[in-house]
Amino acid sequence: MEDKSKVMTAQEAIRRFVHDGDQLVLGNYTVGTCAELVNEIVRQGRQGFTLYSQSGIFDVDILVAGGCVDRLVTTYVLRAGGKNGGSAVERAIQAGTLQIEDYTNYQYNARLVAGMHGFTLLPVFESTLATDLFRQRGFMGDKKYAVIECPFTGRNIVLVPAVNPDVCVVHVQRADRFGNAQYWGAQGSVAAAALASKRIIVSCEEIVDEAIIRSSPHLTILPAFRVDAVVEIPWGASPSEVLGYYNMDMLMYGLFMAADSTADGLKAWMAEWVYGCPDRKAYIDRYISKFGSRSLDAIKAKPFYSAPANYGSAFTSRWDQDGRERNLGVTMEELESILHERGKFYE
Amino acid sequence: MSKPYTLEELLSIVVAREIRDHENVILGVGIPMTAGALAKALYAPHATLMMESGLIDIKPLLPPNHIADAHACRGFSYATDLFSTFTMTYRGFVDVCFLGVAQVDRFGNLNTTVIGDYNKPTIRLPGSGGAPDFISYAKRTVLTMLGGQFVEKLDYLTSPGHLEGSGSRDRSGLFPKGSGPTLLVSTQGVFGFDPETQEIYLAKLHPGVSVADVQREVPWTLRVAGDLSETPRPTDDEIDFIRRFNPANSVGRALALELSLANLAAKGGLSSL
């Protein structure tokens, strides 16, 4: 099969691979979130998601405030402005428009790891039996956990069900045009979230030549054959940070947090920064026209390169510089002549 | 007499002193990040500092904002994932972890999920994160309480402390023997847990705080250590380190915000907001 580029725009990727009613997982964890893919989902008006988020930052609140989410499976949600402030998630739960299911960080991740490996379940830590996470069930009810007797030790084991979300959106540092996606830094549950999913949309700071991927395969967290779309979006995770590219944008983060503490505030913020910007370039242009370019320049990362790993070996061909096979000691011509002499050919 | 210090500095320093050399330490958001850096610099150079995002053996240069902060990614020695960080905790390789408190009961059980009814919350708190997993399987847990409250009954039990007390945690068979909260540091003082009953008691008072002040925040008759003393003064070395490492922590959240906004306005950045 011909190598096929999966490069497309965020608009096309979301249109083709994210559908109403999907189980959608945000692949990133706390850092480098797929901000522009999230914004595009909201702009396209998708609805009815069961959203999986390991730890919500602005990403979850934007999707909830955008009316995209019916159900949320998570371990941690944003609180804007501490005790006095609210959040889109809190307002939606209070209004009865959002159902939530709480897991611990490990349990949530275990559901994805089970899904990633094709299992139907995975054990979690038994101490959860002493908590209200176990006792208080949301929309998953009886299926939130199960308890069985371990056939080997006789002890009680608590299980969580696997999940295979319909689609994962995830931001990484770099990818090639075929979908090999490279990510480094705080690994969190990024690979598991993506690999558990049926479809994967990758956005990246830059699309790089395939040769770069092939000289650093230890950084590749998603293989091309699993990825459906690759979208190059510089600043695609801002205002969250991307290791090696840029820091957290504290100015925009502050504006978002202040806005998110009220419904009207968030509506106005989204009108300007989500609905008001058709793509990331428009977001950056608006940002620079409003605040100048200094605050973005100031958070660009200064390089700190990883030492290259030596992937070298003694030779890369069975044939040495004189054209002789390294073990057999003969040239191709001599080899074929021997095969002929010994009657090894069908002749 | 050491140089003057703030409450926020005192809290970080008290927490830092709980980290011993050669220990494996899980750091949470906020005070523990600063405390971990202080401990590593002054008392525990061989401690392995870890965060649940899979950053192991961090060398803190800047105070991280969260548990996957890019600033924690310079010079760490082992990049693993969240799943493995928790399973290494489950297997008993974590000596001490630090957790923040929203609601705490007399046996150190925690609520960080919800105030009010779970389905109709008065306040929806952030949730569990990794707290239940860590408090269950770390050998020791140190609790930090800034804005939290003591309650007779939690609205929701997120993270198991000493359950009903009097050895019930050990008897449940769900936890490593002897694990659970060992210390709670609040803005008023330092609390321990009774070895027999595991009920929380007041062990130390921060400067200017009385037992009556603390009792007002606790809805049951608070037990007080026979040898109640003032929280030991930080040393100049501790104060110097912490003020240089995380000045925003030293001045406290409100003053930090005030100074930041003034600075932004001075640079002209606010005019366009």
Side-chain angles (χ1 to χ4, degrees), chain A residues 77 79 102 105 126-127 132, chain B residues 52 90 118 124 126 136 147 157:
Chain A
V77 298
R79 268 205 78 70
D102 277 279
N105 257 344
E126 57 273 20
S127 70
D132 284 336
Chain B
E52 66 209 82
Y90 184 55
Y118 180 72
R124 171 62 212 205
S136 294
L157 197 165

Side-chain angles (χ1 to χ4, degrees), chain A residues 248-264:
Chain A
M248 190 187 273
D249 177 0
M250 299 302 278
L251 173 61
M252 184 56 83
Y253 230 101
L255 290 176
F256 173 83
M257 293 297 273
D260 192 24
S261 60
T262 65
D264 286 346

Side-chain angles (χ1 to χ4, degrees), chain A residues 328-343:
Chain A
L328 306 179
V330 293
T331 64
M332 182 59 84
E333 197 178 19
E334 289 165 352
L335 183 83
E336 290 176 346
S337 158
I338 291 166
L339 288 169
H340 176 70
E341 284 165 15
R342 299 295 176 93

Side-chain angles (χ1 to χ4, degrees), chain A residues 198-245:
Chain A
K198 295 168 192 161
R199 303 185 293 274
I200 304 171
I201 300 174
V202 170
S203 63
C204 59
E205 288 299 318
E206 55 183 328
I207 290 175
V208 295
D209 194 87
E210 188 185 353
I212 289 178
I213 305 287
R214 291 187 184 279
S215 70
S216 54
H218 54 284
L219 299 176
T220 307
I221 62 161
L222 307 175
F225 74 88
R226 288 298 323 277
V227 171
D228 296 281
V230 179
V231 188
E232 187 178 52
I233 314 179
W235 295 96
S238 193
S240 66
E241 73 263 55
V242 174
L243 183 64
Y245 290 80

Side-chain angles (χ1 to χ4, degrees), chain A residues 87-298:
Chain A
S87 68
V89 167
E90 180 181 84
R91 287 188 293 274
I93 296 172
Q94 287 169 340
T97 58
L98 178 70
Q99 294 177 284
I100 190 167
E101 195 72 83
D102 277 279
Y103 282 106
T104 73
N105 257 344
Y106 173 75
Q107 293 165 356
Y108 171 94
N109 190 203
R111 294 193 60 197
L112 291 165
V113 171
M116 162 188 174
H117 292 291
F119 302 140
T120 58
L121 53 83
L122 215 63
V124 296
F125 310 153
E126 57 273 20
S127 70
T128 201
L129 292 168
T131 73
D132 284 336
L133 285 110
F134 187 82
R135 292 185 282 258
Q136 178 80 53
R137 308 296 176 92
F139 60 86
M140 291 191 63
D142 291 347
K143 304 286 190 205
K144 185 178 181 185
Y145 300 99
V147 182
I148 60 161
E149 185 182 296
C150 172
F152 302 112
T153 65
R155 297 178 59 187
N156 276 344
I157 295 187
V158 185
L159 306 170
V160 290
V163 61
N164 293 104
D166 296 302
V167 58
C168 175
V169 286
V170 62
H171 191 74
V172 301
Q173 279 104 335
R174 65 191 186 196
D176 68 18
R177 64 190 204 278
F178 310 115
N180 290 301
Q182 294 199 325
Y183 177 89
W184 55 93
Q187 292 178 30
S189 51
V190 181
L195 292 172
S197 301
K198 295 168 192 161
R199 303 185 293 274
I200 304 171
I201 300 174
V202 170
S203 63
C204 59
E205 288 299 318
E206 55 183 328
I207 290 175
V208 295
D209 194 87
E210 188 185 353
I212 289 178
I213 305 287
R214 291 187 184 279
S215 70
S216 54
H218 54 284
L219 299 176
T220 307
I221 62 161
L222 307 175
F225 74 88
R226 288 298 323 277
V227 171
D228 296 281
V230 179
V231 188
E232 187 178 52
I233 314 179
W235 295 96
S238 193
S240 66
E241 73 263 55
V242 174
L243 183 64
Y245 290 80
Y246 45 86
N247 278 24
M248 190 187 273
D249 177 0
M250 299 302 278
L251 173 61
M252 184 56 83
Y253 230 101
L255 290 176
F256 173 83
M257 293 297 273
D260 192 24
S261 60
T262 65
D264 286 346
L266 185 54
K267 203 173 164 187
W269 186 89
M270 285 174 62
E272 180 167 15
W273 297 105
V274 179
Y275 297 106
C277 304
D279 56 22
R280 185 74 0 178
K281 186 180 175 303
Y283 170 98
I284 295 296
D285 287 348
R286 178 186 291 273
Y287 188 103
I288 290 172
S289 72
K290 196 158 184 175
F291 306 120
S293 54
R294 253 193 319 176
S295 53
L296 286 183
D297 288 342

Side-chain angles (χ1 to χ4, degrees), chain B residues 2-31:
Chain B
S2 57
K3 60 164 69 177
Y5 57 95
T6 66
L7 170 65
E8 289 79 4
E9 289 172 336
L10 179 64
L11 297 178
S12 302
I13 290 163
V14 170
V15 168
R17 288 174 176 177
E18 293 302 307
I19 298 172
R20 302 165 196 162
D21 206 8
H22 299 284
E23 284 192 330
N24 298 333
V25 184
I26 286 284
L27 299 178
V29 186
I31 285 178

